[in-house]
Amino acid sequence: MLNPESKSLMLRIENDIQQEQQTHHVGGEDVLLTLLLHGPAVVSPFCYFEVRRENLIEDTLNILSRPNVNFKKELKVRFVGEQGEDSGGLRKEFFQLIVKQLFDPAYSMFNYNEETRTYWFNPDTFEACIKFELIGFILGLALYNSIILDIHFPRVVYKKVLGHKPDFDDLADFSPSIAQSLDFILGYEGDDLKDLLACTFSVEVDSYGKKTVAELVPGGSAIYVTQENKRAYVEKYIEWLFDKSVERVFAAFKRGFYKLYKGEMTTHCDPEELQLLICGSPVLDFHELQQATRYDGGYTKDSPSVALLWEVLHGLDAEKKRRFLSFSTGSDRAPVGGLRNLPFCVMKHGEDGEQLPTSHTCFNYFLLPPYVSKEKLKSKLLLAIENSEGFGLI
């Protein structure tokens, strides 16, 4: 049996081989004939996304809808009107930006669960299914190009992608409060359950302020929950919540994900491993990060400011460590295998003044002024990471 790190390596090797095969396939063609018939994009060894920052979703949807685009080539991104070749940073920035936009509340594609800090599909969204297909495609494309995404889905999303049936454990992971209520029903042995609950096989749904009733089974509004049918009620509720209520949008999401993988993932991963591959691990060992970090701009591992930095970082609580990692890399999670596998660099930047630390999240660079006191470094660092939304990220 392979562990998740081994499976991640195996998947990365398979993806690299496929990308290499696409490159050689291009090189072996009659390039002149291909240019005449299909244009220059076809003969490139890369899959280029040329997008406008201000129209990121629209431009990516247009690329997704084009025929004969070979998404199995290595991805390169160009932002219209900007110079520079993509050596990995622009690609990572593209994923960061488009994920942030697609999960923006203005689109109403997902509902945020405060209890578990996760997102779930909005069954009442006005957005077209193609946008859910896009977010599924983005997950698959990021996985194919070894990019960790800052996406917070519950585990059940990955189970459904792999074709597994949701169960009560998924409900407990998704919404502990709902699971607790249903667990009470399952555990209650009194004969007065029907009168106590006055609950039927139906769910009241609030859709933009309008109350509607969804029946869990045909005629469910007239079927009361009793001792005899309570288990069926819980099963039907889970089926409605995770399957029927989001059937249309989830089908589009899953279709987008499998544009690249065509079902191969079902033989490689279980749901937890797929989640790790896409989103990384929540386990953060900063000693591993310190061992893996390299230095630039005049810093070495023995520089006084660097030593102070690690003293401060090791003293932070778990939440502030996540904030630091998100500030520096764009994600608060570690790659599969832990932070020892994260390419990370601390670079000297500026002077010991009032300047705050900044970061190049696209390249995992943390830019640290040469502070001489631990107290000043800590205060500047905390100010930066706790106010980092739209600030300090280059």
Side-chain angles (χ1 to χ4, degrees), residues 173-191:
D173 175 70
F174 170 71
S175 177
S177 58
I178 295 178
Q180 185 177 19
S181 298
L182 295 183
D183 193 47
F184 169 80
I185 295 175
L186 292 174
Y188 189 80
E189 299 295 338
D191 295 332

Side-chain angles (χ1 to χ4, degrees), residues 177-387:
S177 58
I178 295 178
Q180 185 177 19
S181 298
L182 295 183
D183 193 47
F184 169 80
I185 295 175
L186 292 174
Y188 189 80
E189 299 295 338
D191 295 332
D192 60 341
L193 182 62
K194 174 182 175 181
D195 296 329
L196 178 68
L197 295 178
C199 175
T200 65
F201 276 61
S202 62
V203 179
E204 186 178 74
V205 180
D206 186 345
S207 177
Y208 300 106
K210 181 181 179 181
K211 302 289 186 180
T212 59
V213 174
E215 294 189 329
L216 305 183
V217 296
S221 297
I223 302 174
Y224 281 87
V225 178
T226 65
Q227 283 292 350
E228 291 72 28
N229 64 19
K230 64 183 182 181
R231 293 193 180 278
Y233 168 74
V234 172
E235 290 174 2
K236 290 299 180 181
Y237 179 86
I238 292 173
E239 180 184 1
W240 170 82
L241 178 65
F242 290 137
D243 293 331
K244 291 185 176 179
S245 69
V246 295
E247 184 175 11
R248 177 181 63 91
V249 293
F250 192 87
F253 170 81
K254 186 174 180 178
R255 184 168 60 248
F257 180 83
Y258 281 112
K259 272 188 174 292
L260 273 169
Y261 282 101
K262 309 298 182 186
E264 297 100 317
M265 294 305 301
T266 58
T267 62
H268 282 308
C269 303
D270 62 30
E272 290 77 12
E273 289 167 342
L274 180 58
Q275 185 175 18
L276 274 175
L277 291 172
I278 293 173
C279 304
S281 169
V283 178
L284 304 181
D285 185 337
F286 269 51
H287 292 285
E288 286 187 355
L289 181 63
Q290 183 176 2
Q291 290 297 318
T293 296
R294 61 186 182 86
Y295 302 93
D296 199 355
Y299 278 151
T300 70
K301 65 182 180 64
D302 299 316
S303 298
S305 296
V306 169
L308 293 177
L309 172 67
W310 290 113
E311 283 184 35
V312 169
L313 290 177
H314 289 311
L316 298 180
D317 60 32
E319 177 60 28
K320 287 186 173 61
K321 285 180 178 177
R322 284 194 293 271
R323 284 180 176 269
F324 170 79
L325 197 64
S326 179
F327 175 84
S328 304
T329 70
S331 173
D332 64 357
R333 299 170 75 94
V336 176
L339 289 177
R340 61 188 173 89
N341 292 331
L342 179 69
F344 185 68
C345 182
V346 175
M347 182 176 181
K348 187 176 182 180
H349 181 70
E351 302 295 334
D352 179 20
E354 296 306 310
Q355 181 181 3
L356 296 179
T358 54
S359 61
H360 290 290
T361 58
C362 299
F363 297 98
N364 299 339
Y365 264 65
F366 178 68
L367 279 58
L368 177 69
Y371 303 121
V372 296
S373 79
K374 181 178 177 180
E375 292 74 19
K376 184 174 185 179
L377 189 152
K378 184 175 182 179
S379 67
K380 296 295 185 182
L381 176 66
L382 292 178
L383 183 60
I385 66 176
E386 290 173 359
N387 297 276

